Amino acid sequence: MNFLAHALLAGDADADRVGGVIGDFVKGPLPAGLPPPLAAGVALHRAIDGFADRHPAFIASRARIGPARRRFGGVLVDLFYDHLLARDWDTHCREPLAAYAARVYAALAAHAAELPPGARETAGRMRDGDWLTSYRSAAAVGRAIDRMSVYRIRRANPLAGGIEEFLADAGGFATDFAAFLPDALAFAEDWRRSRSAGARE
């Protein structure tokens, strides 16, 4: 999952949402220097990633990626799913996407001092470029993939131009995502409920 999907799956608590968005910037065992609420959000992020990797629809989406980019299929599918979520946001959430994105940016800003440097810098660029609402556009997602190929993956990689993988089978990816999202939402809710129950024991 990428930023928007992780924010949605994290639920309503700001700490979980922030932890979900920054999860890829936190390495090693938790709490990794984070306050416990943010570390719990990162733990949820990691659990969701593990769930996605095992889900048949996500596996099917990775298989739709051509051989030249299949090694990075998970990265591409994460971004394609953010596009599909943003594009059809009104079918999933009552709150307008622009308002939801503003709340995510505000939560990231409120926790900025607690974030790892890379996450803090990315959160600022995310807000300034309004990445979350921009994902409605396949062209914007394409630009995000091209940036990632240069700035986030240091070794040589074939990601540039990766949006063509989505455009070649947009309907197939949409079918996969429609099967995946309800299961992911249920998984995340159950995970949060189990965590709350454990905290009360």
Side-chain angles (χ1 to χ4, degrees):
M1 299 297 95
N2 201 52
F3 299 125
L4 183 59
H6 266 298
L8 179 67
L9 294 171
D12 294 329
D14 275 358
D16 281 343
R17 191 172 286 150
V18 171
V21 171
I22 70 161
D24 287 338
F25 295 90
V26 180
K27 308 302 181 185
L30 295 172
L34 296 171
L38 290 187
V42 174
L44 174 56
H45 171 114
R46 293 178 179 181
I48 290 167
D49 279 352
F51 171 82
D53 287 342
R54 300 185 298 271
H55 194 282
F58 195 87
I59 292 169
S61 284
R62 284 204 311 262
R64 296 181 191 280
I65 305 298
R69 296 189 178 96
R70 194 163 294 157
R71 180 181 175 189
F72 296 92
V75 174
L76 290 169
V77 173
D78 284 348
L79 281 155
F80 298 165
Y81 280 13
D82 259 20
H83 166 59
L84 292 165
L85 176 59
R87 187 191 71 183
D88 301 325
W89 181 262
D90 293 344
T91 68
H92 304 298
C93 296
R94 294 179 181 177
E95 182 178 18
L97 178 56
Y100 181 84
R103 288 202 296 120
V104 173
Y105 303 146
L108 288 165
H111 290 276
E114 301 163 332
L115 303 183
R120 188 164 55 245
E121 178 184 345
T122 298
R125 288 191 284 115
M126 187 187 307
R127 179 197 61 231
D128 293 345
D130 194 12
W131 292 359
L132 299 183
T133 58
S134 79
Y135 291 155
R136 278 182 163 156
S137 161
V141 172
R143 290 190 293 271
I145 292 169
D146 293 347
R147 286 194 305 267
M148 183 180 292
S149 74
V150 175
Y151 297 112
R152 284 190 60 186
I153 300 176
R154 301 186 182 209
R155 62 187 181 279
N157 64 80
L159 277 177
I163 193 61
E164 66 192 25
E165 304 282 353
F166 175 80
L167 297 175
D169 195 2
F173 286 111
T175 297
D176 296 341
F177 181 66
F180 172 80
L181 184 61
D183 291 348
L185 287 165
F187 170 83
E189 184 177 355
D190 287 347
W191 196 95
R192 293 193 304 271
R193 187 182 297 118
S194 297
R195 180 185 64 189
S196 299
R200 289 194 297 268
E201 291 176 356

